[in-house]
Amino acid sequence: MDDFSLYDDGQSLGSGFMIHPGGGSVSIITDDFAHSSDEETVETPLAHIIGRSVFSVFSSNKVTPSKYPPPNQHITTTTTKVKEGRKDESSFYENHPSLADAFDDNPETPRGERRQLSRSALSLRTGSLPSGFDEIVLDDPRQRGAERAHDSPSSSLRVPLDFLEDKVKTMTFGRRIALALQPYKWYNPRGIENQNTKSTEIEESSSVRKAPSLARAWAYFEHFTLPRHVMVGRRERHKKSDGLEIANAGEQHFNTRLYNPITTPLNQMGDFGLGFGLYFSTLKAVGLVTFVAGLVSIPNIIYFSGDDYSENQVDVPFILRGSAVCTIFEYTPCLNCQSNDFQDNPSRLKEITSADGTMTQLFALKNKCGGEDFPQLPIGLSNLAAVVVVLIGVICIFIYLRKEEIKFDTDKQTAQDYSIVIHNPPIDAKDPEEWNTFFEQKFDAHLTCCTILVDNEVLLKKLLRRRDLLLKIQEELDPSISTKNDDVAEHVSQMKKDRNCLQRALSKVFSGIPEWHTAVSKLENEIHEMLVDERDVIKVFITFETEEIQRKVLFALAKSTPDEHYCFRKELCLKVEEPAEPSAVRWDNLNESSSQIALSLILPFAITVGSIIAATSFVKYIREVANSSYAAVVVSLLNVTFPQAAKFLTKFEVHGYEGGKQTSLYVKISFFRLMNTVVALFLVTPFTSTITSGDGSILNSVSAIFVSELVTINLIQILDVVGKFKRHYAAPRAATQETMNTLLSGSEVIIAERYTNMTKILILALLYSSIYPAALFICSFALFLNFYIDRFSLMRSWRPPPKIDSTISQINRRYVLPLSVGAMAVVSSYCWAHFQFDNLCPTDEVDQNYFGEWVIPSETSSIDTDIMYHEINETTQFYKFCQQNMFRAGYLRIPALPSYQPDGLEWMSNDQERLTLIFGWISLAMFVSIMIVCLTLFIMKLTKTYKPRGGIDDEKKSFSSLRTPAYIPSVESSIIPYPLVACPVSDISEELFGWRSLYHSYDHYDLTIDARRIMGREESGTSKADSAFSTFSHWPPPV
């Protein structure tokens, strides 16, 4: 290695070329123009002739390799059609005089079919006109698909857009603030000496780092981090009559705009991946269903908040009005009560002294809400109607989301729709031409791309670690110090000499430049040894030119009984399936077996269970020493922080695709939040505190959680304090452009967390809907609020998420939502059976020891009462202690039926018995039916064969006509803002990457170049280094 610099070590033009040899002339089109081509373009691209390579092409007079037609064969046959109504181009050349000077015709002259470069301009660019060619001409991009040209004068010569010149009105407020404050040292200590460098310039090799530019970092934030859609002039560019076209990250060839969080239609959310599109559809659908269920529950809300139930609930908090919270209590004689009967809620049982002070007796607190005329049957049937509405709604959601899944998938064509992945290729099948020949012979299919993945996971991780350490060294080095290897080594040696005893001791714990430098050297030695090893092929990704061919291959090869006719090398039946999206492939985790994946899941899930137990104990402790409001805040904070812990645990798991990782996160987070939010309330709240008022009430805890979820969680998300700190404080103080850009890479979004946040609120509302019907409205409001806040975060602060598939959505709609409805029905039936939640049953027995006047001081109870003196006589209703909880441990009764009341200790009224009988059997039938359906869907999922989503219509384009990423192996770094490519990039067209760096060529992110530098630049070293990496081959379709 010659240089510690991460920049390109050779001159680059910053743009590729398309060379078109013809009779006595050569036509040149830069990559900027080539990106506007479509399937009708007839020019033959030499994709590997890019950057400085074009100089050697000119100097050697070798325009095409042998596989292309000789120079005397004319290839370019297209003509340019000037679009009618286009503005006069003279204004454009007046604004760009350097471009006007490059042509030998008059700028005022209307442009014909071509504009010829003058010899002086050519000499300026190449040094001399290559012999054998009379002229070099620059094609007008408009003939390469007029629909892709800018609707502006500059379209006649597609100059890359300079993001530093974005109009202020199109910028985010954060960027406007940063640009306004960057001249001030207190905000931007590094000054603005490098702020005016064009964002389109490719940095040249330098052994001394350039000062980072805050303006460029914010340009990166808005054009790479945040999602944008394509614009044509002042109009939005539509991929169909009703949709926008999402722009590639760093798009510089079309005008783009940020998505609008408010006005972007729901059917456009599929641009962010199938998983996110279905998430937002689910949010809106579930919000609508719970709102309708809330409307059905309005009679219950009116009754509970009225005078007949609890005297208008005057002292009840507003958010709990309309719930079953009871504020009318009376201490009544309890004949068989003992002190340990209410040990979980001692305030329910009091030892009261008689008025004359001669005796004491036990009195128990009786809930009196509703009175003897409590219309429990109609109120309960209204709740049952809400259950039925939610059930019907979930069925409709299931059907709706299936249609949305097909719509999102067919509306946005990506490489996934044209590709297959082969899971069992021969370990020596490294020749892409062999795969090309196989599919041509068996399926008459044209292969457009072929990615052959080899087993180099450990190698990639070491190369990634080396890159990270190099960037850390650059971050800490003084900008005046050269990054050449010798200079860095000398500086490191001096640093070691200058350290005192304490610094040397601390360096054992806290690493610095010398330790990083040593680690880099060690890594390079290890990498050097690994590069000579043979690598086995582990997977092959094949991309066809048409979706029809892809489906044909999948139908043939994805059968449970393979056809020997399609065996590879006449003996191997290939195991194939449709792959995940390119951005969802975890390229460094694709070589693990199913058993290894299963073993990697055991420890994280065991820790998750332990976390649930610890969280429940902590919430119970807070509830005991403080109150339910504090406990609710703790519950919400635990719900917010656990996803980060789950993310850390998932790092120890093995997942080949982002969908699998997100599914694992979804299960862990859902399990934790369900237990922490819903189940923990049952465990820590006494049964007799279900409908009481005050801090001990379970309804008070539920309402506090709703408030916390509505306010605390959303406020934390919308403020994005951590993200703003990184963008406005840490970034201006970063030492390198890479670090500055990384700090503006946005907050990571976990789609599993978003789904669990939705299901947590929904389940909480459904389970308590019988005694808290207004929770359905609160849930609906919370989901619609999440809908817009999540959209805002996705379009303004979150890092671009991987485009995962519909796995989590399918789990949610197939199992979670139906089982939630079943749980709603069952819990509601138990709630109506348990009313009045006081564990007191009326009895005809009397005890004359209670006769007389009793004094009940208000201070003897935590519950206020107006009763001071109470006369007990033979007309007084006496009570006995009885267990009304049919859902308690050791006494579970399924379903909750009136027949399970102990003889002589019945507490249900006639209305309540009828309601419990109806609700109990219906809820059981509903739950069993849902379980059968869920089990059937699960079995069908395990046994299903390939079935395509949607049909193929004539409007669908070929793969080469799309601007969509291909399956290019890459790895991600937490401190490098762009992916690091794990295969040679020299032969890969820019549009296949799906992203473009604002200041480096793709070579800068090529890990194979790192390997060549480590091996040495001799030819043998280069070939050995390349053999250790995956390969990507591209065959453009014939014209």
Side-chain angles (χ1 to χ4, degrees), residues 406 409-411 413 547 551 948-954 956:
I406 296 173
D409 185 60
T410 56
D411 187 51
Q413 296 299 105
E547 190 174 1
R551 295 190 176 188
R949 288 190 291 256
I952 301 177
D953 54 57
D954 296 335
K956 290 192 175 180

Side-chain angles (χ1 to χ4, degrees), residues 866-917:
D866 295 331
I867 300 176
M868 294 298 294
Y869 296 92
H870 191 73
E871 179 71 26
I872 304 295
N873 52 45
E874 63 274 2
T875 63
T876 301
Q877 176 66 63
F878 283 75
Y879 292 87
K880 286 186 176 181
F881 174 80
C882 60
Q883 279 285 359
Q884 297 174 345
N885 188 359
M886 295 184 184
F887 207 75
R888 69 185 186 274
Y891 193 81
L892 179 61
R893 297 293 182 263
I894 302 177
L897 298 175
S899 59
Y900 292 133
Q901 299 176 97
D903 291 337
L905 294 175
E906 297 87 358
W907 66 89
M908 296 186 189
S909 64
N910 292 334
D911 258 11
Q912 190 174 2
E913 287 187 349
R914 288 195 293 271
L915 173 65
T916 302
L917 187 66

